[in-house]
Amino acid sequence: MTRQRALIVDDEPDIRELLEITLGRMKLDTRSARNVKEAREWLAKEPFDLCLTDMRLPDGTGLELVQHILLRHPQVPVAMITAYGSLDTAINALKAGAFDFLTKPVDLGRLRELVAAALRLRSADGEELPVDSRLLGDSPPMKAMRKQILKLARSQAPVYISGESGSGKELVARLIHEQGSRGDQPFIPVNCGAIPTELMESEFFGHKKGSFTGAIEDKQGLFQAANGGTLFLDEVADLPLPMQVKLLRAIQEKAVRAVGGQQELIVDVRILCATHKDLAGEVAAGRFRQDLYYRLNVIELRVPALRERREDIALLAGIMLKRLAEGTGLSPAKLDDDALEKLKSYRFPGNVRELENMLERAYTLCEDDRITTSDLRLADSVPISENGEANLAQIDNLEDYLEAIERKLIMQALEETRWNRTAAAQRLGLSFRSMRYRLKKLGID
């Protein structure tokens, strides 16, 4: 069996020797280069499964080598070695396409983890990855996003997933995780807006028994649960500023300390995050730390809104209706032509989630397994024109219209916070008392 091979690029003999010995013990053959020129010569002569390169080299930079490998040998994962504390350099390397980075002095445990992850990714090259049945659509925006997901899955870089509510940001995060080197490790999603402020530190980092009232036993935090895998921070813009500071430190140090604990625990976690808010706008308004923003937003992936890919609506609707029929054991229903055209012209502020809810309701109401425009009840879905204005032609009663808007927004806030009423009230800028009144008025249980 052919041994896997790594290229080590560093102008310091001691570092090269340390890396050669460590990788040799991992049963890898190694080749060493002192500069960019020698590295390019090795790459031209032999195939490699991994490259480790220093940032500063006598005749150039590690970034130049990363770009060369991406262009000439895109299947080879590259990890950058940087000086301690040079996070800006590491982030630039990730943006340039590096798989991951290490800081000097090199932590051998971290090195072995990185090499193992890179080789798992390399061994999957050449396998045909099917289009995931959960990420449907043949429109140009969806085809482009699927390609981006495959590319991001090859990296360990933090990714900021932007997009409107209901567009499928968590699904995108899950696919990046599953198709990468951490796919067999935990994927831990957390809605940052649904955690009470006073419990955040304990939820993220865990706590020790007796560290506060109610701490009757040791508890593992989200970082510990995601160790080796991916932590997905949904609605990250909702984190309060004090928690943002602690999160930034955990990401930078790759270590956490439980509430009431004395020792830090090293954690190996890839961070993916999302929010429906404009995160750059939150930074400008002083509600989100700029340093954390730059640490999380190494690469941005935007999920298109449903109205930007209207050609996918027919496909999505057909598959959703088929699933509904399979779930109920009843015969499948079909959209008539007028109903489909109405869906294609609708703005869908709630995106794919709203389409699914609309079709479930229509499937229940329709007769003779045929869904008509009246079954869609688009008037209940807050009619909006293409320019974002209310469509007066479809409004019969102002009070009913306003109540429909209120109901829609409250339901959306409840769904996004997993029916945590306190968090939903905060999302809407309401007191809990006011939220309780509105739930009772609208008959929402």
Side-chain angles (χ1 to χ4, degrees), residues 157-293:
V159 179
Y160 164 46
I161 304 169
S162 62
E164 298 179 2
S165 294
S167 57
K169 296 186 292 296
E170 181 173 337
L171 172 58
V172 168
R174 195 176 290 275
L175 293 176
I176 292 172
H177 165 78
E178 290 176 357
Q179 296 181 11
S181 61
R182 297 173 181 263
D184 58 348
Q185 298 298 314
F187 175 84
I188 306 295
V190 53
N191 189 317
C192 298
I195 304 175
T197 302
E198 63 275 10
L199 295 179
M200 276 194 173
E201 188 173 359
S202 170
E203 287 294 317
F204 276 100
F205 309 134
H207 64 247
K208 293 295 184 180
K209 179 180 178 180
S211 56
F212 56 85
T213 303
I216 57 175
E217 59 184 1
D218 290 355
K219 179 183 177 181
Q220 185 184 59
L222 294 165
F223 269 85
Q224 294 95 314
N227 193 25
T230 302
L231 181 60
F232 173 54
L233 304 174
D234 197 8
E235 299 303 345
V236 70
D238 291 341
L239 286 173
L241 286 169
M243 190 61 209
Q244 292 177 29
V245 177
K246 294 171 182 175
L247 177 62
L248 176 63
R249 186 181 183 282
I251 293 172
Q252 288 179 339
E253 301 298 326
K254 300 192 175 189
V256 297
R257 179 182 295 170
V259 177
Q262 301 300 315
Q263 294 182 333
E264 285 195 330
L265 175 68
I266 301 297
V267 287
D268 171 29
V269 174
R270 185 182 187 183
I271 300 291
L272 306 178
C273 72
T275 179
H276 72 285
K277 295 181 180 179
D278 176 8
L279 204 54
E282 294 294 300
V283 172
R287 291 187 291 267
F288 201 84
R289 291 182 62 95
Q290 188 176 53
D291 47 6
L292 179 58
Y293 171 72

Side-chain angles (χ1 to χ4, degrees), residues 61-79:
T61 69
L63 285 178
E64 293 173 22
L65 189 56
V66 169
Q67 292 162 351
H68 173 81
I69 291 174
L70 282 176
L71 183 64
R72 303 287 182 86
H73 313 277
Q75 76 283 1
V76 179
V78 190

